[in-house]
Amino acid sequence: MEKTPKWIDVGLIPLLNLLIAFVISGIVVLLIGENPVQAIKVMVDGALGSPYGWGYTLFYATNFIFTGLAVAVAYHASQFNIGGEGQATLGGLGVALVCLAFPWPHWSIALLAAMIGGAVFGAAWAAIPAYLQAKRGSHIVITTIMFNFIGASLLNYMLVNVLRPRGSMDPATARFANSTHLPTFHDMPLIGQFFGKSVPANISFFIAVLACFLVWGLIWRTRLGYAIRAFGRSESAARYAGISPVKIVMAAMLISGGLAGLMAINNVMGTGHRLVLNSVEGAGFIGIAVALMGRNHPFGVFLAALLFGFLYQGGGELALETTIPRELITVIQALVILFTGAFDNMLRAPIESFFVARAKANKEA
């Protein structure tokens, strides 16, 4: 049987789905009385037209890379982890506890410790649903949804009753010491001259890029990655080959939760310099769309995260400079998710049939 080229699956079909989503979004903009061409221009200029815009686009993309990778790793083990929001929330708690625990002499040492803290807390929060799935048969989707809300409630309790400084009415931790502040793009050599002090993008972006390479190596170049993919393709075949389902589910979910928890080094340690309520701001859920659009491949996750970073920053500029409501960006995101996820097969089937028929005709000729 003829197979379609790989570039169709990873390139052409996602691009066409994305194009359809933007066309329908343009129609929505037109229906509310705005010019869709002008709206696109404002979004592009606001997100990509200046170092300031790029700085915010890459800042948002950093969050989405971590949460997208978290979803992708679990997906390869046939686990649909939608608990990235809660895992990132608890990761923020881990980062905050580390940053407040010691008078760190330098940001680099604090960063390494905070990465461990965020990853451990995120992995720990994923471990309970993973155990319930692996040992008790509880559905991972249900348990991770529940743990999103439990995590938010736990953080609320910790901020109000444990970590809030004495005399403060704000449900947040104390500010971290200056020695824990991560260098932003403005502070870096070579690129610092192009970015202002107000740009939030920081060294966490490069850690996220490194995480893409590490996840790629894990999934496609290690025995554990092979076992994860084998289990994800066929649990019965994996069992026959001697692969332990419990070990694979636990390993995949712990790695997934750890990646989600690492997001906190960007938004808690990198910019907020303290832990506040709702510091994740929905990035855990956006990670699901990022992973779906990126075909659960680290390189695809990186590109999809850039797209959603563009939508977030461009949408903010669109709301400021036009009468188009900020909620329209949510509509665009929903359309992107709809066509790259739920309606993916709408284009896939006819396109694949066309290329298979074309390849068959060329052989016969």
Side-chain angles (χ1 to χ4, degrees), residues 22-87:
F22 278 117
V23 168
I24 295 177
S25 300
I27 294 173
V28 173
V29 172
L30 196 62
L31 290 174
I32 64 175
E34 293 287 343
N35 185 343
V37 176
Q38 180 63 25
I40 292 175
K41 184 177 183 301
V42 170
M43 289 185 69
V44 172
D45 288 344
L48 308 176
S50 66
Y52 175 85
W54 268 107
Y56 271 91
T57 297
L58 294 179
F59 168 74
Y60 293 128
T62 302
N63 292 336
F64 303 149
I65 290 172
F66 282 122
T67 56
L69 290 175
V71 175
V73 169
Y75 185 86
H76 282 291
S78 192
Q79 304 301 305
F80 195 36
N81 178 20
I82 59 174
E85 189 82 3
Q87 292 147 22

Side-chain angles (χ1 to χ4, degrees), residues 50-283:
S50 66
Y52 175 85
W54 268 107
Y56 271 91
T57 297
L58 294 179
F59 168 74
Y60 293 128
T62 302
N63 292 336
F64 303 149
I65 290 172
F66 282 122
T67 56
L69 290 175
V71 175
V73 169
Y75 185 86
H76 282 291
S78 192
Q79 304 301 305
F80 195 36
N81 178 20
I82 59 174
E85 189 82 3
Q87 292 147 22
T89 297
L90 268 292
L93 180 60
V95 167
L97 291 176
V98 167
C99 289
L100 294 170
F102 303 102
W104 298 100
H106 193 265
W107 66 263
S108 59
I109 303 174
L111 174 60
L112 291 174
M115 288 175 64
I116 295 172
V120 167
F121 271 63
W125 204 244
I128 304 173
Y131 176 83
L132 293 174
Q133 165 74 26
K135 299 291 287 186
R136 301 297 181 185
S138 302
H139 202 291
I140 198 73
V141 171
I142 303 300
T143 52
T144 49
I145 287 175
M146 293 169 59
F147 270 71
N148 285 334
F149 293 100
I150 297 172
S153 299
L154 176 60
L155 179 64
N156 185 43
Y157 173 83
M158 291 295 293
L159 290 180
V160 172
N161 299 287
V162 180
L163 297 175
R164 185 177 58 174
R166 185 180 298 274
S168 173
M169 297 299 293
D170 190 12
T173 65
R175 291 199 171 272
F176 305 156
N178 290 338
S179 59
T180 67
H181 294 183
L182 300 182
T184 65
F185 281 12
H186 173 74
D187 302 319
M188 297 179 186
L190 300 179
I191 64 172
Q193 58 184 320
F194 301 107
F195 293 93
K197 292 183 179 180
S198 60
V199 168
N202 57 76
I203 198 172
S204 301
F205 172 75
F206 300 103
I207 297 173
V209 173
L210 177 60
C212 291
F213 285 100
L214 293 177
V215 169
W216 175 83
L218 168 70
I219 298 297
W220 280 279
R221 290 294 184 271
T222 66
R223 293 181 63 181
L224 175 60
Y226 177 81
I228 288 174
R229 288 185 290 121
F231 178 81
R233 292 293 184 89
S234 174
E235 181 177 345
S236 57
R239 286 178 181 271
Y240 183 79
I243 297 173
S244 169
V246 174
K247 289 182 179 179
I248 294 303
V249 170
M250 291 299 299
M253 286 297 295
L254 286 173
I255 295 169
S256 177
L259 286 165
L262 280 174
M263 192 201 92
I265 64 173
N266 182 46
N267 63 331
V268 175
M269 187 180 186
T271 56
H273 304 143
R274 63 173 184 163
L275 180 62
V276 299
L277 288 174
N278 195 30
S279 62
V280 181
E281 295 183 332

